[in-house]
């Protein structure tokens, strides 16, 4: 029985190895097919971009011709002559026809200027006239037809992207030959075969068994024997049946059956007397037959050797088991059973139970330790229950609050992101409506003004929501806390009545320390805390700002456990009524407020909380023993350096007019608003809906040293990109890549919110949504002055 089982195991190992190789080859085939589809998609995108570039070129050329007084017909002829020399990819090109299917621009002299009657398909139908009619009907699309290569006579399968331009009366297209795609796929298939050959070299079946691959024509693709590798073995016959061996192998492919035949051995060539087994799997996509081959006598010898070893091992194991069992029963098992019985009594609640085992070995030490443990447990269980209950209540309360704040933060962050995009569209279109129609229509201006104010109020609320949800795009820098706090105190003091006394104190130790934060948001947080303190003291009182340096060596609880480190502690205290129990519990939640009046949004402390947490800090609220409330902020500190005060040199002046900008934004409505604003600034705009399309445009527009200056693609002045976008690359990574390729380009990031910590850098200008045209222009000028600043 053992011999039979071992024989089956050895034979199944050959089947398992074959199946593994088959799965590898199947994945290779799937990869090749996926590459085929991806290559086709990439070629289609390239065709579309080629037509887009031709459109941009014609627009620019016609605009220059109109400006210089050149007749349009002459301008068209010049432009078409330039397009005739434009090529990309594998000698692919752009062609132009009018609505009568007359070829206006084509690199092949045989077709340029030809009439539709001269170019027909295999059925005699006019090819060009059909393409023109489809483009006029569809506007644009991809079309499949047969066409000659330049200087070629044989029509080949081709896919073209064609777009209709009714304003010019033209149809522009660009295509790719499918045999170019098949050449790329064929190379991938050959690489897959080479990879499979490498894999098969590492596989051994039994002692001398192996695997090989052939196709349906009987051509041996892979074989470890050099005499058979790469040859056609259709004449090799099975000595048992006298039939071609490759046909019999194909007949058992994927049937689960093995082919039994006789073959020679490397050490006994020409003697076809040795029995072999072969299993075959077939991959239709590649037309590959993958075979495993093993000699029967090797399987039988392995089964005999292994069965003998198993019997010897079983006998030794049984003898050893008997000896060890007797020792365990006498020395270990019985004492352990006694100790287990005592443990069961303790588990049931009898803390007076004892094991009674007195020995000097390890079991005796274990028993005495167990008895001592039960005694200590009995002495401390009552006090332990009380401490556990108290600690459990505290942890449950803290955990519930943290979960609630996190859930609310995620909800508000997502809502704020959506509202920022909506408000960008609303504000942008309101400003465009005012610019175009408001000056001539006072009634419309009267309606637009409150709508704009409401939209900007909504934008302010979303910024506060982003602050709470820790999604606000911060631009931190090294900040001297004592100086900023003094400025906030002076600002509040000048705007409050005399019944409020403001004071400020900072420890001398802060002089050499800095906090890496966004100064604008910290100033806003301190102003909010000061105004909250004022509102808590209707009849007047004292507001005190204080800052000190503190070092925490052990975890300490604020709103959560504080990590050890050096911090700057900022406190804002007042002599008002203090916090109620509900306020201490819910103060940081958005829209919670104890104030009355319609102008209070309930987002002040929420914004402070979000800013502090996004700055890796901590916050705490408390009532003072002498009366009033105190809010404490804990921000990480570091030693100041000379680099903190370094100023960049003054950048040269920069003009936006006439530049070409790439606008990258996934929301089409937002993209339309920003495009209108950029057009109003006098710049030209290329658009991309995600980072992948933007990268393709950059590759297409990037100048080459071999380009003719008159035929080179238009040069980009800069890139304006959203930060959060779908696809394989986000706005931040795209901006970094643009700065690497084009150091002189203007790079501007715009965002409605930040999903993580990507934008924690003060070196790159950032435009927050929503914004108007003047804010966009100011941000572009700021970005232009920082063109040489590394990201």
């Amino acid at each position: 029985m053992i011999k039979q089982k071992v024989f089956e195991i050895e034979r199944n190992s050959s089947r398992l190895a074959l199946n593994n190789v088959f799965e590898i080859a199947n994945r290779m085939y799937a990869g090749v097919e996926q590459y085929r589809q991806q290559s086709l998609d990439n070629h289609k995108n390239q065709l579309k971009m080629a037509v887009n570039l031709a459109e941009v070129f014609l627009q620019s050329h016609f605009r220059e011709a109109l400006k210089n007084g050149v007749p349009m017909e002459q301008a068209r002829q010049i432009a078409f002559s330039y397009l005739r020399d434009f090529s990309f990819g594998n000698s692919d090109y752009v062609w132009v026809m009018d609505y009568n299917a007359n070829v206006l621009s084509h690199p092949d002299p045989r077709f340029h200027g030809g009439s539709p009657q001269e170019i027909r398909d295999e059925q005699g139908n006019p090819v060009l006239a059909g393409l023109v009619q489809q483009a006029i009907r569809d506007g644009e699309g991809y079309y499949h037809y047969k066409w000659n290569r330049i200087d070629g006579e044989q029509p080949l399968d081709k896919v073209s992207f064609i777009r209709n331009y009714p304003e010019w009366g033209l149809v522009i297209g660009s295509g790719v030959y499918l045999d170019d795609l098949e050449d790329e796929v064929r190379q991938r298939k050959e690489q897959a075969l080479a990879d499979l050959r490498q894999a098969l070299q590492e596989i051994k079946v039994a002692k001398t068994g192996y695997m090989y691959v052939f196709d349906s024509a009987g051509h041996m693709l892979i074989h470890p024997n050099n005499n058979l590798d790469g040859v056609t073995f259709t004449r090799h016959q099975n000595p048992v049946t006298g039939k071609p061996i490759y046909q019999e192998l194909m007949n058992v492919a994927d049937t689960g059956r093995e082919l039994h035949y006789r073959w020679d051995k490397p050490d006994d060539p020409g003697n076809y007397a040795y029995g072999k087994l072969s299993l075959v799997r077939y991959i239709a996509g590649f037309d590959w037959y993958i075979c495993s081959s093993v000699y029967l006598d090797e399987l039988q010898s392995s089964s005999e050797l292994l069965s003998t070893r198993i019997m010897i091992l079983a006998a030794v194991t049984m003898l050893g088991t008997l000896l060890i069992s007797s020792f365990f029963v006498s020395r270990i098992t019985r004492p352990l059973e006694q100790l287990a019985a005592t443990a069961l009594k303790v588990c049931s609640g009898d803390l007076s139970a004892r094991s009674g085992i007195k020995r000097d070995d390890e079991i005796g030490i274990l028993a005495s330790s167990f008895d001592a443990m039960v005694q200590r447990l009995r002495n401390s269980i009552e006090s332990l229950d009380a401490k556990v209950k108290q600690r459990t209540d505290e942890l449950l309360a803290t955990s519930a609050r943290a979960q609630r704040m996190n859930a609310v933060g995620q909800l508000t962050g997502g809502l704020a992101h959506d509202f920022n995009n909506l408000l960008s569209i609303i504000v942008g279109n309101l400003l465009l409506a005012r610019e175009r129609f408001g000056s001539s229509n006072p009634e419309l201006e009267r309606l637009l003004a409150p709508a704009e104010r409401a939209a900007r109020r909504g934008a302010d609320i979303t910024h506060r929501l982003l602050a709470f949800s820790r999604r606000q795009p911060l631009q931190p820098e090294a900040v001297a806390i004592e100086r900023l706090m003094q400025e906030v105190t002076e600002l509040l003091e000048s705007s409050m009545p005399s019944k409020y006394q403001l004071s400020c104190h900072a420890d001398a130790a802060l002089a050499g320390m800095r906090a890496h934060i966004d100064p604008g948001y910290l100033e806003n947080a301190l102003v909010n805390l000061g105004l909250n303190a004022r509102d808590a003291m209707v009849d007047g009182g004292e507001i005190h700002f204080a800052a000190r340096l503190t070092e925490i060596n052990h975890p300490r609880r604020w709103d959560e456990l504080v990590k050890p480190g050096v911090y700057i502690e900022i406190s804002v205290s007042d002599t008002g009524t203090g916090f109620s129990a509900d306020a201490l519990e819910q103060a940081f939640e958005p829209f919670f407020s104890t104030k009355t009046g319609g102008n209070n949004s309930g987002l002040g402390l929420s914004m402070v909380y979000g800013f502090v947490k996004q700055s890796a800090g901590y916050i705490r609220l408390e009532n003072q023993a002498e009366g009033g409330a105190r809010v404490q902020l804990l921000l990480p500190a570091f030693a100041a350096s000379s680099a903190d005060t370094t100023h960049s040199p003054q950048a040269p002046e920069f003009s936006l007019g006439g530049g070409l900008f790439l606008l990258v934004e996934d929301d089409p409505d937002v993209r339309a608003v920003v495009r209108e604003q950029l057009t109003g600034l006098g710049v030209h705009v290329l658009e991309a809906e995600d980072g992948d399309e933007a990268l393709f445009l950059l590759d297409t527009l990037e100048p080459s040293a071999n380009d003719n200056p008159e035929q080179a693609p238009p040069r980009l002045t800069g890139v304006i990109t959203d930060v959060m976008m779908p696809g394989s690359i986000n706005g931040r990574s795209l901006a970094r890549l643009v700065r690497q390729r084009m150091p002189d380009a203007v790079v501007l990031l715009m965002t409605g919110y930040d999903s993580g910590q990507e934008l924690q850098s003060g070196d790159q200008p950032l435009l927050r949504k929503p914004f108007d045209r003047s804010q966009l222009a100011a941000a572009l000028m700021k970005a232009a002055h920082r063109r040489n600043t590394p990201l």
Side-chain angles (χ1 to χ4, degrees):
M1 182 188 67
I2 292 176
K3 289 181 180 179
Q4 180 63 29
K5 291 297 181 183
V6 172
F7 180 87
E8 292 177 359
I9 291 172
E10 288 285 342
R11 187 172 61 181
N12 288 336
S13 67
S14 173
R15 186 185 300 272
L16 179 61
L18 175 64
N19 289 335
N20 290 337
V21 173
F22 175 79
E23 290 300 324
I24 293 173
N26 248 340
R27 285 195 291 270
M28 290 178 176
Y29 172 71
V32 170
E33 289 302 307
Q34 182 181 9
Y35 174 81
R36 183 197 305 272
Q37 185 60 43
Q38 289 177 349
S39 181
L40 179 59
D41 293 341
N42 289 337
H43 279 296
K44 285 185 175 180
N45 289 333
Q46 190 176 19
L47 297 178
K48 188 173 182 179
M49 292 310 305
V51 173
N52 288 340
L53 286 175
E55 176 188 353
V56 173
F57 170 75
L58 290 178
Q59 285 178 343
S60 176
H61 187 80
F62 291 163
R63 192 181 302 112
E64 286 295 319
L66 183 62
K67 182 189 301 182
N68 298 327
V70 178
M72 184 52 64
E73 185 60 29
Q74 180 181 350
R76 287 164 63 102
Q77 293 300 324
I78 295 174
F80 295 155
S81 66
Y82 284 153
L83 287 180
R84 203 172 301 132
D85 297 329
F86 173 73
S87 66
F88 62 95
N90 188 15
S91 298
D92 297 319
Y93 51 84
V94 176
W95 49 263
V96 183
M97 290 190 297
D98 61 18
Y99 283 176
N100 295 322
N102 292 317
V103 181
L104 303 179
S105 177
H106 196 288
D108 194 334
R110 295 176 299 176
F111 304 124
H112 179 69
S115 63
Q117 291 76 14
E118 297 174 350
I119 306 173
R120 296 181 177 274
D121 60 13
E122 296 175 353
Q123 288 76 32
N125 300 317
V127 174
L128 299 183
L131 293 176
V132 170
Q133 292 173 3
Q134 294 180 68
I136 294 175
R137 180 194 62 204
D138 301 337
E140 65 177 35
Y142 294 94
Y143 304 99
H144 181 267
Y145 59 96
K146 289 184 177 294
W147 196 257
N148 300 38
R149 286 187 183 273
I150 297 178
D151 300 326
E153 299 295 335
Q154 180 66 30
L156 302 174
D157 287 332
K158 188 173 186 179
V159 172
S160 285
F161 174 78
I162 306 174
R163 179 179 290 165
N164 177 31
Y165 293 91
E167 67 272 25
W168 298 331
L170 299 177
V171 173
I172 303 177
S174 181
V176 60
Y177 293 95
L178 293 184
D179 60 347
D180 292 341
L181 174 63
E182 291 302 319
D183 286 341
E184 297 175 8
V185 173
R186 190 177 304 109
Q187 293 176 7
R188 290 298 291 263
K189 182 177 178 181
E190 292 174 358
Q191 181 60 43
L193 186 64
D195 293 342
L196 185 62
R197 177 185 295 273
Q198 183 67 27
L200 294 185
Q201 291 177 354
E202 306 296 330
I203 297 176
K204 296 295 182 183
V205 183
K207 185 177 180 181
T208 61
Y210 51 84
M211 291 190 180
Y212 56 94
V213 181
F214 66 92
D215 60 21
S216 58
H219 182 69
M220 186 67 70
L221 303 176
I222 301 174
H223 198 284
N225 190 337
N226 294 331
N227 294 329
L228 289 176
D229 188 30
V231 304
T232 301
F233 67 114
T234 54
R235 296 183 179 181
H236 290 69
Q237 296 181 346
N238 184 353
V240 178
T241 62
K243 297 179 180 179
I245 187 68
Y246 85 102
Q247 292 183 352
E248 293 188 345
L249 289 169
M250 289 192 296
N251 291 336
V252 299
D254 292 328
T255 63
R257 295 182 288 108
E258 299 166 319
L259 177 64
H260 294 254
Y261 60 100
R262 295 189 177 277
W263 209 250
D264 63 346
K265 280 190 173 184
D267 57 353
D268 190 10
N271 183 17
Y272 292 87
Y274 302 96
K276 295 196 77 173
L277 293 178
S278 280
L279 283 167
V280 186
R281 299 295 303 270
Y282 178 59
I283 299 179
F286 281 160
D287 189 26
W288 287 355
Y289 289 87
I290 304 176
C291 309
S292 68
S293 179
V294 61
Y295 290 97
L296 282 173
D297 56 356
E298 290 183 6
L299 293 178
Q300 293 170 349
S301 63
S302 298
S303 65
E304 292 175 358
L305 177 62
L306 188 56
S307 62
T308 302
R309 292 178 178 177
I310 289 176
M311 292 298 296
I312 295 174
L313 181 61
V316 173
T317 301
M318 291 180 62
L319 179 59
T321 301
L322 290 175
L323 296 176
I324 294 173
S325 298
S326 62
F327 173 77
F328 266 87
V329 169
S330 61
R331 294 291 300 169
I332 297 177
T333 304
R334 289 194 184 97
L336 288 179
E337 289 176 350
Q338 184 178 349
L339 188 58
T342 305
L344 288 175
K345 293 179 181 180
V346 174
C347 182
S348 63
D350 184 7
L351 297 180
S352 63
R354 300 293 182 271
S355 65
I357 299 175
K358 305 295 182 182
R359 289 169 48 170
D360 296 332
D361 56 7
E362 288 81 1
I363 292 181
I365 295 173
L366 175 62
S368 61
S369 299
F370 178 79
D371 293 341
M373 178 190 67
V374 173
Q375 182 62 41
R376 287 194 301 271
L377 180 64
R378 183 176 182 180
N379 295 337
S380 60
I381 192 168
E382 293 182 359
S383 60
L384 181 60
D385 283 342
K387 292 180 180 180
V388 168
K389 184 178 183 303
Q390 178 184 1
R391 183 60 176 163
T392 301
D393 293 341
E394 293 176 355
L395 290 176
L396 287 175
T398 302
S399 176
R401 177 184 299 178
Q403 291 177 2
R404 183 171 67 252
M405 296 294 286
N406 184 55
V408 174
Q410 291 179 353
L411 175 62
T412 55
L415 290 175
H417 166 244
D418 293 336
F419 270 95
N420 265 335
N421 275 344
L422 294 175
L423 290 170
S424 296
I425 300 168
I426 293 171
V427 171
N429 284 287
L430 286 173
L431 292 175
L432 287 174
R434 167 180 286 175
E435 179 182 338
R436 295 180 180 179
F437 311 111
S439 59
S440 60
N441 192 336
E443 180 64 20
L444 179 61
E445 171 66 22
R446 186 180 65 82
L447 296 175
L448 289 176
E452 183 183 345
R453 287 195 299 271
R456 294 191 183 279
R457 172 64 175 162
D460 179 66
I461 291 176
T462 57
H463 286 161
R464 290 171 176 264
L465 286 173
L466 286 174
F468 165 71
S469 62
R470 311 181 206 181
R471 302 293 200 276
Q472 59 186 341
L474 301 181
Q475 292 185 299
E477 59 186 63
V479 176
I481 296 296
E482 67 277 14
R483 185 164 57 250
L484 186 145
M485 190 172 61
Q486 182 65 41
E487 293 173 355
V488 170
T489 305
E490 294 173 358
L491 173 66
L492 290 174
E493 191 173 23
S494 64
S495 62
M496 289 188 183
S498 58
K499 64 180 179 180
Y500 298 101
Q501 289 81 45
L502 276 74
S503 59
C504 176
H505 173 74
D507 285 352
L510 287 177
M513 303 301 293
R514 299 288 185 270
H516 191 66
I517 55 172
D518 188 317
Y521 276 97
L522 177 58
E523 180 178 345
N524 196 18
L526 294 180
V527 169
N528 268 289
L529 295 178
L531 294 178
N532 284 347
R534 179 202 63 185
D535 295 339
M537 302 182 295
V538 180
D539 299 326
E542 297 179 3
I543 303 175
H544 182 63
F545 289 82
R548 67 187 183 94
L549 192 66
T550 181
E551 182 175 1
I552 296 178
N553 298 317
H554 303 287
R556 189 182 303 173
R557 179 161 299 282
W558 279 43
D559 60 310
E560 56 181 317
L561 283 179
V562 180
K563 297 179 180 178
V566 179
Y567 294 89
I568 296 176
E569 180 184 313
I570 304 173
S571 65
V572 181
S573 57
D574 60 59
T575 57
T577 57
F579 293 106
S580 65
D582 288 341
L584 286 173
E585 180 69 23
Q586 305 177 56
F588 297 135
E589 297 182 5
F591 307 114
F592 173 81
S593 177
T594 59
K595 304 175 187 178
T596 59
N599 292 328
N600 178 44
S601 64
L603 292 172
L605 276 177
S606 300
M607 184 200 68
V608 176
Y609 174 84
F611 161 71
V612 170
K613 303 311 294 180
Q614 195 171 353
S615 301
Y618 306 88
I619 188 169
R620 179 167 62 184
L621 307 180
E622 63 181 9
N623 289 320
Q624 302 181 92
E626 63 274 15
R630 177 164 56 199
V631 181
Q632 295 172 286
L633 312 181
L634 206 60
L635 300 174
F638 65 94
S641 64
S642 59
D644 298 333
T645 58
T646 301
H647 299 282
S648 58
Q650 182 67 28
E653 292 298 323
F654 176 77
S655 175
L656 296 175
L660 177 62
F661 280 80
L662 174 60
L663 172 61
V664 189
E665 165 63 54
D666 59 301
D667 190 307
D669 292 329
V670 176
R671 192 167 65 246
V673 170
V674 180
R675 181 185 63 233
E676 289 291 338
Q677 293 174 347
L678 287 170
T679 304
L681 293 175
V683 302
H684 305 290
V685 183
L686 286 178
E687 300 179 39
E689 64 180 12
D690 55 33
D692 296 328
E693 185 177 354
L695 282 180
F696 184 81
L697 274 171
L698 289 174
D699 292 338
T700 307
L701 293 174
E702 189 170 8
S704 172
N706 299 324
D707 286 342
N708 187 331
E710 297 181 356
Q711 301 177 4
R715 182 178 180 84
L716 273 182
T717 304
V719 176
I720 305 170
T721 177
D722 193 11
V723 174
M724 302 302 298
M725 292 186 298
S728 62
I729 182 172
N730 61 21
R732 183 69 173 174
S733 300
L734 176 62
R736 186 179 296 108
L737 184 60
V738 171
R739 292 291 291 274
Q740 291 174 354
R741 291 187 179 184
M742 297 179 286
D744 293 333
V746 177
V747 179
L748 176 62
L749 297 175
M750 57 182 182
T751 183
Y753 85 121
D754 179 17
S755 65
Q757 299 296 323
E758 287 183 328
L759 299 180
Q760 305 303 309
S761 173
D763 294 331
Q764 179 60 34
L766 177 69
L767 185 58
R768 297 183 178 92
K769 299 177 183 175
F771 51 83
D772 56 27
R773 187 168 62 191
S774 62
Q775 292 170 326
L776 174 59
L780 284 173
M781 296 303 294
K782 182 179 179 181
H785 292 161
R786 294 191 179 184
R787 279 175 289 179
N788 294 320
T789 302
L791 294 179

